[in-house]
């Protein structure tokens, strides 16, 4: 019995050692609560103001297009709020850090913490824990949840805000498989139908099969993907000097392309989850397509933006942790300018990647690299 008790005590000791919550003390919980609470409060406050301005701007369009109230609330604004909250999350993080930390400094609470022997590095622990929580939340929402809502929001805008989506394409030619090239003269995405279709298969640079069809339609109810129906088709198979021709009214065929490969619309990369983005980029690169830069930028930006929470948290905590006689006005202005310039630099670097050939990975990480140096400088000059 004593042996069982000693084993249980040993296991309990191991569990306490590996439990990450043992690192969170009472003061850490106090700061984490302040941080997370102020972060969500700032989101609610600023997004509420944004909704008021958006309603005022779009009310006439909603009325003119007879948008139902249910669609406005659940299709548009229910997806509008998470999208912009996640987009400007670094700004909300910085505002939260500045406000609650300056209040702690104004109440001499940080002075008391540092006077008790706590270093500024130790003081940053709960800040980093909070930033990690926000980063994980933002990454999950931005990579898996928000893209699905963005599809619904874009559909609403195309119906009721006159932001018409691109639903057609002409003279589309793409490599659908190794040595297989598809061509569609005209494609309508609303009906998933293409006109003037041809499919050429090459082996060792020699044409071995040529298929044409007046109409090709994507099978939306099929259990498998890449399932198309060719109407009024002709297949020519070339074997040496011989040619075999097959014609018919309708045939089911498997072609390695999907409707989203044929029509490109503005902001389409925002509607893909991160796994879908990665798969789409790899597929387009295998086809030799050059129209993947904006998709690569979006994919890398989702990862890089998560680290903005850590960088702006360090900057905000370092600037606002010192109690100042003149108040926090000047440093609050400096901090807000830094956070806005960070978001602006993200947009500029993305534009350079799309239009000037800057590698997408570098474009996504330039703001983090630059502001990491600023964060280090602020940290070195923070109170101890």
């Amino acid at each position: 019995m004593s042996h069982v008790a000693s084993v249980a005590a040993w296991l309990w000791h191991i569990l306490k050692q590996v439990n990450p919550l043992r690192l969170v003390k009472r003061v850490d919980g106090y700061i984490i609560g302040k941080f997370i609470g102020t972060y969500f409060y700032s989101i609610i406050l600023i997004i509420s103001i944004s909704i008021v301005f958006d309603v005022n701007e779009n009310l006439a369009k909603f009325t003119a297009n007879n948008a139902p109230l249910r669609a406005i609330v659940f299709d548009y604004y229910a997806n509008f709020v998470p999208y912009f909250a996640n987009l400007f999350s670094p700004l909300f993080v910085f505002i939260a850090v500045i406000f609650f930390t300056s209040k702690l400094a104004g109440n001499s609470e940080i002075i008391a913490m540092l006077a008790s022997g706590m270093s500024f590095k130790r003081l940053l622990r709960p800040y980093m824990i909070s930033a990690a929580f926000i980063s994980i939340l933002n990454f999950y929402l931005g990579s898996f949840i928000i893209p699905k809502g963005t599809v619904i929001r874009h559909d609403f805008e195309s119906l009721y805000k006159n932001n018409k989506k691109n639903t057609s394409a002409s003279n589309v030619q793409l490599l659908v498989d190794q040595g297989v090239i598809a061509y569609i003269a005209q494609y309508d995405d609303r009906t998933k139908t293409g006109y003037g279709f041809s499919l050429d298969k090459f082996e060792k640079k020699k044409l071995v099969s040529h298929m044409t069809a007046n109409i090709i339609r994507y099978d939306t109810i099929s259990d498998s993907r890449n399932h198309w129906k060719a109407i009024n088709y002709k297949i020519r198979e070339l074997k040496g000097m011989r040619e075999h021709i097959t014609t018919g009214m309708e045939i089911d065929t498997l072609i390695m392309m999907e409707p989203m490969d044929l029509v490109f619309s503005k902001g389409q990369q925002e509607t893909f989850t991160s796994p879908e983005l990665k798969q789409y980029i790899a597929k387009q690169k295998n086809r030799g397509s050059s129209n993947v830069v904006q998709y690569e930028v979006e994919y890398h930006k989702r990862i890089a933006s998560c680290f903005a929470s850590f960088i702006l948290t360090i900057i905000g905590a370092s600037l606002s942790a010192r109690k100042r006689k003149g108040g926090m006005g000047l440093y609050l202005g400096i901090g807000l300018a830094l956070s806005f310039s960070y978001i602006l630099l993200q947009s500029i670097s993305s534009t350079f990647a799309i239009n000037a050939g800057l590698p997408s990975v570098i474009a996504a990480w330039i703001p983090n690299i630059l502001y990491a140096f600023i964060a280090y400088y602020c940290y070195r000059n923070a109170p101890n």
Side-chain angles (χ1 to χ4, degrees):
M1 192 71 178
S2 59
H3 178 68
V4 174
S6 62
V7 171
W10 177 76
L11 289 174
W12 177 249
H13 176 72
I14 294 297
L15 288 174
K16 288 199 299 182
Q17 292 298 317
V18 300
N19 183 13
L21 293 178
R22 69 185 180 86
L23 300 174
V24 180
K25 308 300 181 184
R26 180 174 296 180
V27 67
D28 298 322
Y30 175 69
I31 293 176
I32 291 171
K34 290 282 188 180
F35 191 158
I36 301 299
T38 309
Y39 171 75
F40 284 109
Y41 177 78
S42 64
I43 287 178
I44 293 171
L45 181 63
I46 296 176
I47 293 296
S48 298
I49 297 172
S50 301
I51 290 175
V52 171
F53 280 101
D54 191 80
V55 169
N56 183 62
E57 181 181 352
N58 294 305
L59 186 59
K61 293 181 181 179
F62 294 158
T63 305
N65 292 292
N66 299 316
L69 180 61
R70 181 180 178 85
I72 294 173
V73 174
F74 294 102
D75 292 348
Y76 183 66
Y77 284 110
N79 296 300
F80 170 94
V81 171
Y83 174 78
F84 283 97
N86 196 68
L87 180 65
F88 294 107
S89 180
L91 176 62
F92 297 136
V93 167
F94 187 83
I95 291 174
V97 171
I98 283 284
F99 273 102
F100 92 85
T101 306
S102 60
K103 187 174 181 180
L104 293 180
N107 295 335
S108 301
E109 294 179 69
I110 291 182
I111 294 176
M113 295 176 193
L114 298 177
S116 67
M118 179 185 292
S119 65
F120 186 73
K121 181 180 179 181
R122 170 63 183 84
L123 179 63
L124 283 179
R125 181 194 291 177
Y127 285 88
M128 294 296 100
I129 293 174
S130 302
F133 169 77
I134 293 171
S135 295
I136 294 171
L137 178 64
N138 288 339
F139 178 76
Y140 178 75
L141 290 175
S143 298
F144 300 99
I145 304 300
I146 292 176
K148 297 177 181 178
T150 302
V151 175
I152 300 173
R153 182 169 58 87
H154 283 183
D155 290 340
F156 176 91
E157 290 175 347
S158 67
L159 285 172
Y160 304 113
K161 287 185 65 178
N162 296 324
N163 293 340
K164 298 301 182 183
K165 293 170 61 178
N166 184 22
T167 58
S168 64
S170 58
N171 298 322
V172 179
Q173 183 172 331
L174 69 159
L175 183 70
V176 296
D177 203 351
Q178 189 66 34
V180 182
I181 299 175
Y183 172 80
I184 300 178
Q186 191 69 32
Y187 177 75
D188 185 357
D189 193 53
R190 291 170 297 183
T191 59
K192 311 296 182 188
T193 303
Y195 305 91
F197 173 77
S198 68
L199 187 72
D200 295 327
K201 183 177 180 181
F202 295 86
E203 290 182 0
K204 298 179 180 180
K205 298 183 180 181
K206 291 184 178 180
L207 182 66
V208 297
S209 176
H210 176 70
M211 173 184 178
T212 59
N214 290 346
I215 299 174
I216 187 168
R217 184 175 293 116
Y218 188 71
D219 191 350
T220 56
I221 62 174
S222 174
D223 294 333
S224 60
R225 298 170 63 182
N226 308 312
H227 193 198
W228 296 81
K229 288 186 177 182
I231 300 173
N232 196 9
Y233 69 93
K234 177 191 289 187
I235 302 175
R236 297 172 56 197
E237 296 181 76
L238 306 175
K239 298 180 180 179
M241 300 298 294
R242 295 185 178 182
E243 180 180 15
H244 179 70
I245 299 177
T246 304
T247 60
M249 288 301 298
E250 184 175 311
I251 187 175
D252 292 340
T253 181
L254 195 66
I255 305 173
M256 301 305 292
M257 66 179 184
E258 295 182 83
M260 67 178 180
D261 300 328
L262 306 174
V263 176
F264 301 96
S265 57
K266 184 179 179 181
Q268 185 177 2
Q269 67 273 14
E270 297 175 351
T271 63
F272 292 169
T273 64
S274 288
E276 289 172 344
L277 262 179
K278 188 176 182 180
Q279 183 181 9
Y280 181 82
I281 292 168
K283 183 169 66 174
Q284 293 300 101
K285 282 186 173 181
N286 289 335
R287 291 174 172 172
S289 174
S290 60
N291 191 29
V292 295
V293 178
Q294 61 266 40
Y295 296 88
E296 290 180 315
V297 170
E298 177 69 20
Y299 178 77
H300 293 295
K301 189 169 70 174
R302 290 179 184 179
I303 301 172
S305 61
C306 295
F307 291 87
S309 298
F310 296 97
I311 295 171
L312 293 178
T313 294
I314 294 173
I315 295 175
S318 302
L319 288 176
S320 57
R322 193 185 301 274
K323 186 176 182 178
R324 294 176 173 87
K325 186 176 180 180
M328 284 301 301
L330 175 62
Y331 291 91
L332 178 61
I334 294 173
L336 288 175
L338 286 172
S339 59
F340 276 115
S341 62
Y342 176 89
I343 296 172
L344 178 63
L345 184 59
Q346 274 188 324
S347 300
I348 293 174
S349 60
S350 299
T351 303
F352 270 103
I354 295 171
N355 298 322
L358 185 68
S360 56
V361 179
I362 296 176
W365 284 92
I366 279 178
N368 284 352
I369 295 171
L370 178 60
Y371 279 78
F373 287 104
I374 298 175
Y376 179 74
Y377 174 80
C378 295
Y379 170 76
R380 297 295 296 177
N381 290 275
N384 281 289

